Amino acid sequence: MIEPQILDHPKDLLLRKERIPHIWCPGCGLGSVLSALMDALRTSGLDLKNVAVVSGIGCTGRAAGYLNLDGFHTTHGRAIPYATGLKLANPDLTVIVFSGDGDLAAIGGNHLIHAARRNVDLKVICANNFNYGMTGGQGGPTTPRLARTTTTSYGNVEKPFNLVQLMAACGASYVARWTSAHPHYMKIAMGEMLKKEGFSFLEVIAPCPTNFGRRNKLRDIKLLQRYLEQAVLESQPDIAKADIELDSPILCGKFVDLERTSYLAALREAISAKVKVYDFRGDGRVPLEEAPVKPAAAKAPGKPAEVPSERPIIERPVQIKLAGLGGQGIGLCGLIIGRAAAIFDHNQAVYTQEYSPEARGGASASSIIVASGQIHAPYVTEPDIMVVMAQGAYNKYQKDVRPGSRLIIDKDLVRPKDLPDSVRIQAIPATRLAEEIGQKVVANIVILGFFTALVPHISLTAMQKALKGSIPKGTEELNLRAFETGYDYGRGGTSDRA
Amino acid sequence: MGKDVLTGTYFLTGNEACAAGALAAGCRFFAGYPITPSSEIAERMSIRLPQVGGVYIQMEDEIASMAAILGASWAGAKSMTATSGPGISLMLENIGLGVMTETPCVVVNVMRGGPSTGLPTLVGQADVMQARWGSHGDYEIIALSPSSPQEAFDYTIRAFNLAETWRVPVILLMDEVVGHMRERVVIPEKKDIKVANRRGPSEPPGKFKIFKSKKDLIPEMPVAGQGYAVHVTGLTHDERGYPAIEWEAQEKLVSRLVQKIRLNSAKIASWEETGVEGAEIVLVSYGISTRICRAVREMAREKGINLGLLRLEIIWPFPEKRVREMAGRIKAFLTVEINYGQIALEVERCAAGKCLTRLVGHGGGTVHDPKKVFQAVEEIA
């Protein structure tokens, strides 16, 4: 006797059978959409190990969990950015987003438009049933005008999204619409999407008899029947006529199918031009060959420097504040002082900056604390030394000049007033000297040289080394001359109380 | 390919050091959205990640950024995002998804003054409780608090290692000052940096249950594309990852999510004690406020007051047991933090009335004035 054999249905391989029966109602369109996707996947030739499905929340959101693939059931509205992370961290994956209209177009609407704009390589299937089915049939961004839902009892007054038009406008590579009454066309569209590079979008009009149909006099199978009757199938449908009203025709077909540079392709192209080897494998599983290190590393010294013999010992933390107008290079000055102390003198240095909302022109300050021991509080509160390069900055920070401190200024640009007698003023015509050298812009380096000559807390060697490592290539000569000019001016006797 | 560890001595901001630490830890995916005072982390990652074969993407908002790093983690990449006040508020829902689905990732919150837009460029430490329980539902998380750019580098590596080991989003709570100040940062040789990686599946696909935990309560983690057909959901799920909407499943899952951190808190919690032995008063602090407390200790020493310091390197899990022990033999805890009492509440709870507990707090915008903290010390000394 021949034993009867029970064979698997071909689609069963793609289903987590232990999760069936599914949660969807009789007459719901979602089963047909899922079934079409399984057919498309089966005939796609893809290695299904590398196919991941991401869903948001809602009835449609459950789809990811019924497929025997890598499945991610995420938060409401966020399937697309989650999928973006999956795809970019492992470009070998084919990433499908399977979710509903409320999830993708309302709460997730921002992600939808941006993913289409970027043309990220995602296959988005949006089952549109015109309402929030799982939560009880409330109205949403695709609910047709005048339709009744549990939150539009008097008929919906809002104009719904025309999703295919929206996606086309945002730059999607592929845009199509079918209804769940068209399983064959759905499957063809999905098959095309699986092969497509870039962002592809399929809207499937799917009946929700339980919630949407019941409240709009289209109970049970009548809703599906209506979609079948109202559907207008065109080979070259006009996207301008794709609005959906309660009684309007539903224009179906393929609206967009273009060769557009996908996000990944664009990224690969842009970056491979600038970086020697570029591979998107984020998991480190693929060993990659070594390419030369970018000179960025050379900006800061690669090895700890030798401790200089003239390393200044600073018992008590010394607070230094540099002030000027935005663009005068006050920040760079502070940075060089900090680097000199922290890296080349082997002392401690803390550098902070004061920000003003203006990007340029406002008075700004950078502060450095140097010490041989630990520095605790990061802010300069009682400066021992102030360097001021502009009157505007002087006016703003004059309050910080305290008795007994040292004030270093650009003699031509700052007129100090109302100071305690005990303040020691040391002045240099930094901007004028910089102009004599050839460029006003190095006035900050002139004053830095002057500072180095006067202040014992940072060694000359350290300052020179830090300077060299902090200025743009090609400007070394000019900057070194500026530094020397300031330094010599300081060594040649300074004019107190200028 | 470029080097992921640029060994050397640098003068870096905390934000730059954090990015360097991320790369050294193996981070290869960053998704973010610009926000002061954290943007320099994103800027640095956008330059550095392509050099080492990773991906940087600027998303449309912080919600998307957080979702993207979860996706990337499940694709096998170590992933990170960085943000501040308003941005971290937007990320919370997906941090909860990360907790529920045990997704390793690092979220940097460079804290600024709040609530709301608050003080975008100035310091605050008021997101400490939010880091712990900001997302809905019951969970435990790990949060670290660096106090210098060097620690920003070191702790970012620690954050990745903790995330990979315990399979939980780890929050790096960095203060605005730490993010923006520059100090010497030493980046060691690559071989001297300890890097932990998630435990992959020890069995082939088939019977393997992706959320069945081992003795240490941590499940092994297969990722997408390995053939395990992982089922990952934010719903309460069973060991297969399948939704299980019933109290028994909730009890089993949520208790494990909580216990894997709580029962292992002795292994995770990390703090530093200075001068605690014999001290009558102990300062409790973290992040930038720790440095103020060190200055206060020096002032106290000059006045002959024996002042201890308990500094939280890791804020969550909180060193409950240690604080309980200390409470029995000291006169007072003084919590120094830039808010109106968050960790102070934890200290008070653990001290359980066995010693005085006081807060020295303020609303943010600057660090504490050491003199004012010292005044508070003198008042109870």
Side-chain angles (χ1 to χ4, degrees):
Chain A
M1 199 181 97
I2 301 165
E3 288 285 322
Q5 265 190 310
I6 301 170
L7 297 172
D8 277 337
H9 188 278
K11 281 182 200 167
D12 282 359
L13 289 171
L14 267 161
L15 273 184
R16 294 180 194 269
K17 280 181 284 181
E18 62 275 31
R19 292 214 56 205
I20 305 299
H22 53 66
I23 63 160
W24 298 324
C25 307
C28 170
L30 293 173
S32 308
V33 190
L34 188 66
S35 186
L37 177 61
M38 287 191 284
D39 281 337
L41 281 169
R42 235 163 26 90
T43 52
S44 68
L46 287 168
D47 178 0
L48 296 180
K49 191 165 79 93
N50 282 327
V51 178
V53 184
V54 187
S55 284
I57 296 295
C59 293
T60 323
R62 292 301 180 98
Y66 296 140
L67 290 167
N68 197 20
L69 301 167
D70 286 324
F72 300 91
H73 180 228
T74 67
T75 40
H76 194 25
R78 317 305 170 197
I80 285 180
Y82 196 103
T84 302
L86 266 172
K87 177 67 187 174
L88 297 187
N90 183 356
D92 291 347
L93 298 174
T94 297
V95 182
I96 300 164
V97 172
F98 194 115
S99 219
D101 50 307
D103 186 76
L104 288 169
I107 188 167
N110 201 32
H111 311 308
L112 181 69
I113 60 175
H114 285 281
R117 170 183 66 79
R118 289 186 189 106
N119 210 15
V120 192
D121 303 65
L122 300 176
K123 292 80 178 68
V124 179
I125 297 164
C126 174
N128 180 3
N129 60 14
F130 304 121
N131 77 135
Y132 290 86
M134 184 172 267
T135 44
Q138 297 81 8
T142 56
T143 307
R145 265 184 291 219
L146 305 176
R148 296 175 77 167
T149 70
T150 52
T151 51
T152 58
S153 295
Y154 310 110
N156 181 34
V157 297
E158 296 180 18
K159 184 187 182 299
F161 263 140
N162 175 338
L163 288 177
V164 289
Q165 203 172 40
L166 177 70
M167 289 294 89
C170 290
S173 289
Y174 184 100
V175 180
R177 177 198 281 158
W178 292 103
T179 82
S180 66
H182 301 94
H184 180 63
Y185 291 118
M186 263 198 287
K187 180 195 151 186
I188 291 174
M190 290 166 179
E192 288 176 346
M193 290 164 79
L194 290 173
K195 288 196 177 72
K196 191 79 194 167
E197 218 186 288
F199 186 89
S200 44
F201 182 84
L202 171 66
E203 179 183 19
V204 179
I205 307 299
C208 172
T210 307
N211 276 311
F212 189 76
R214 186 155 53 101
R215 297 191 175 87
N216 290 284
K217 297 178 184 155
L218 291 157
R219 281 171 184 274
D220 308 324
I221 203 68
K222 276 192 206 146
L223 190 56
L224 183 67
Q225 198 181 342
R226 180 193 169 274
Y227 292 160
L228 194 58
E229 287 162 6
Q230 300 291 122
V232 174
L233 282 50
E234 284 187 14
S235 59
Q236 285 179 311
D238 178 2
I239 207 159
K241 294 175 184 158
D243 277 352
I244 299 175
E245 301 284 348
L246 208 46
D247 299 314
S248 73
I250 298 171
L251 189 58
C252 293
K254 186 160 73 177
F255 296 92
V256 177
D257 189 358
L258 294 168
E259 293 306 316
R260 282 184 168 148
T261 311
S262 75
Y263 180 80
L264 276 166
L267 195 58
R268 212 167 260 147
E269 196 186 313
I271 290 176
S272 61
K274 303 269 164 73
V275 180
K276 276 271 189 288
V277 176
Y278 193 72
D279 193 305
F280 287 101
R281 301 303 306 233
D283 52 14
R285 274 180 292 173
V286 181
L288 298 158
E289 75 184 82
E290 286 279 314
V293 184
K294 295 261 290 182
K299 250 190 174 177
K303 279 183 193 157
E306 301 269 307
V307 181
S309 53
E310 72 266 39
R311 175 193 179 203
I313 301 299
I314 311 163
E315 302 278 354
R316 188 185 64 84
V318 172
Q319 301 193 2
I320 305 163
K321 186 162 189 164
L322 303 113
L325 296 182
Q328 275 189 317
I330 279 299
L332 180 64
C333 263
L335 205 59
I336 295 169
I337 296 172
R339 281 195 181 130
I343 299 176
F344 300 106
D345 273 342
H346 284 240
N347 279 322
Q348 300 293 330
V350 174
Y351 168 97
T352 53
Q353 248 180 312
E354 261 177 52
Y355 299 84
S356 54
E358 314 88 324
R360 279 282 177 269
S364 68
S366 66
S367 301
I368 310 101
I369 305 174
V370 290
S372 294
Q374 274 195 335
I375 301 167
H376 303 310
Y379 291 133
V380 164
T381 47
E382 297 172 335
D384 300 291
I385 304 163
M386 274 193 74
V387 180
V388 185
M389 286 188 67
Q391 191 64 39
Y394 180 82
N395 296 343
K396 183 171 174 187
Y397 296 110
Q398 190 201 340
K399 59 178 171 26
D400 295 337
V401 183
R402 54 187 199 96
S405 68
R406 188 199 287 260
L407 177 65
I408 296 172
I409 54 169
D410 186 316
K411 157 190 261 183
D412 298 333
L413 300 183
V414 182
R415 294 263 170 268
K417 49 181 191 244
D418 308 329
L419 284 177
D421 281 344
S422 59
V423 174
R424 187 171 176 205
I425 302 176
Q426 295 176 305
I428 179 172
T431 308
R432 205 181 339 138
L433 290 171
E435 277 167 351
E436 281 167 22
I437 294 166
Q439 285 223 34
K440 192 175 142 185
V441 50
V442 291
N444 62 333
I445 305 299
V446 173
I447 217 161
L448 189 72
F450 185 59
F451 172 94
T452 310
L454 304 178
V455 170
H457 312 297
I458 294 122
S459 75
L460 174 63
T461 325
M463 208 66 127
Q464 284 167 331
K465 284 184 186 165
L467 175 67
K468 273 182 211 156
S470 306
I471 50 176
K473 270 212 161 84
T475 68
E476 292 93 342
E477 205 184 317
L478 177 68
N479 276 293
L480 283 176
R481 258 178 68 204
F483 184 82
E484 277 162 22
T485 304
Y487 188 79
D488 291 345
Y489 194 92
R491 277 291 143 117
T494 60
S495 47
D496 281 9
R497 289 278 159 192
Chain B
M1 208 175 46
K3 283 189 180 167
D4 51 0
V5 180
L6 299 177
T7 305
T9 306
Y10 301 85
F11 193 57
L12 297 183
T13 63
N15 282 348
E16 289 166 346
C18 170
L23 260 84
C27 175
R28 293 295 179 268
F29 184 89
F30 183 100
Y33 186 81
I35 186 168
T36 305
S38 78
S39 300
E40 296 87 357
I41 299 175
E43 288 167 4
R44 190 72 193 141
M45 294 303 270
S46 78
I47 295 168
R48 289 285 288 133
L49 273 173
Q51 295 174 355
V52 299
V55 177
Y56 164 88
I57 184 169
Q58 185 168 312
M59 298 299 286
E60 51 276 13
D61 57 30
E62 287 89 347
I63 301 173
S65 305
M66 189 61 217
I69 71 164
L70 296 179
S73 184
W74 276 100
K78 289 188 185 175
S79 60
M80 175 167 104
T81 186
T83 187
S84 185
I88 197 80
S89 292
L90 288 179
M91 288 181 182
L92 284 167
E93 187 196 5
N94 280 320
I95 289 177
L97 178 64
V99 169
M100 193 63 151
T101 55
E102 302 180 68
T103 309
C105 59
V106 172
V107 180
V108 183
N109 175 5
V110 186
M111 287 186 286
R112 63 194 227 185
S116 191
T117 313
L119 300 168
T121 58
L122 300 176
V123 66
Q125 292 185 316
D127 303 347
V128 175
M129 274 297 169
Q130 187 209 38
R132 183 178 197 181
W133 276 329
S135 198
H136 58 277
D138 207 356
Y139 62 95
E140 289 287 337
I141 206 153
I142 301 174
L144 302 91
S145 166
S147 70
S148 66
Q150 179 69 56
E151 286 181 355
F153 176 82
D154 298 338
Y155 286 23
T156 304
I157 298 172
R158 288 177 81 175
F160 273 99
N161 291 349
L162 289 163
E164 292 286 316
T165 304
W166 301 102
R167 284 193 61 182
V168 67
V170 171
I171 297 176
L172 187 76
L173 278 175
M174 187 145 73
D175 306 312
E176 178 278 333
V177 202
V178 177
H180 277 162
M181 70 196 258
R182 282 178 191 275
E183 273 187 321
R184 180 170 59 221
V185 173
V186 177
I187 300 181
E189 299 270 345
K190 183 166 177 159
K191 64 176 170 50
D192 297 327
I193 296 172
K194 214 182 116 202
V195 169
N197 294 309
R198 62 191 72 169
R199 206 162 51 200
S202 55
E203 288 170 58
K207 293 247 159 89
F208 184 78
K209 291 179 178 167
I210 68 159
F211 287 101
K212 187 174 160 64
S213 67
K214 299 281 166 179
K215 243 189 194 161
D216 57 8
L217 305 179
I218 316 290
E220 294 169 341
M221 183 173 175
V223 298
Q226 284 187 313
Y228 284 85
V230 300
H231 187 286
V232 178
T233 175
L235 285 168
T236 297
H237 45 268
D238 61 21
E239 288 180 337
R240 297 170 298 177
Y242 292 178
I245 311 302
E246 63 221 8
W247 74 265
E248 293 94 338
Q250 172 78 358
E251 182 59 29
K252 192 170 175 190
L253 175 62
V254 179
S255 74
R256 184 172 64 74
L257 295 179
V258 169
Q259 299 296 26
K260 75 175 177 182
I261 304 295
R262 259 184 216 175
L263 296 181
N264 288 306
S265 68
K267 285 184 198 158
I268 304 170
S270 176
W271 67 93
E272 174 194 306
E273 293 177 12
T274 325
V276 165
E277 291 307 314
E280 287 220 310
I281 302 170
V282 172
L283 302 175
V284 181
S285 202
Y286 51 90
I288 194 70
S289 302
T290 311
R291 298 172 62 131
I292 305 299
C293 291
R294 291 194 186 121
V296 176
R297 281 195 72 236
E298 284 179 5
M299 295 164 88
R301 199 181 309 139
E302 280 167 26
K303 295 253 175 149
I305 301 174
N306 203 351
L307 189 61
L309 172 60
L310 172 69
R311 177 268 164 109
L312 309 174
E313 296 175 343
I314 288 181
I315 298 182
W316 309 119
F318 184 79
E320 272 190 45
K321 204 175 146 215
R322 183 63 183 139
V323 171
R324 281 187 212 288
E325 281 164 15
M326 283 164 73
R329 50 186 180 76
I330 65 168
K331 186 173 166 189
F333 279 119
L334 203 71
T335 307
V336 181
E337 55 183 338
I338 309 176
N339 58 53
Y340 287 114
Q342 296 194 12
I343 286 299
L345 296 178
E346 276 299 276
V347 174
E348 192 180 318
R349 180 177 70 82
C350 297
K354 283 189 266 173
C355 70
L356 282 176
T357 52
R358 292 280 184 276
L359 161 75
V360 190
H362 69 85
T366 185
V367 296
H368 283 83
D369 179 351
K371 283 178 235 145
K372 287 198 179 147
V373 181
F374 185 63
Q375 242 172 38
V377 172
E378 278 187 310
E379 276 165 26
I380 46 175

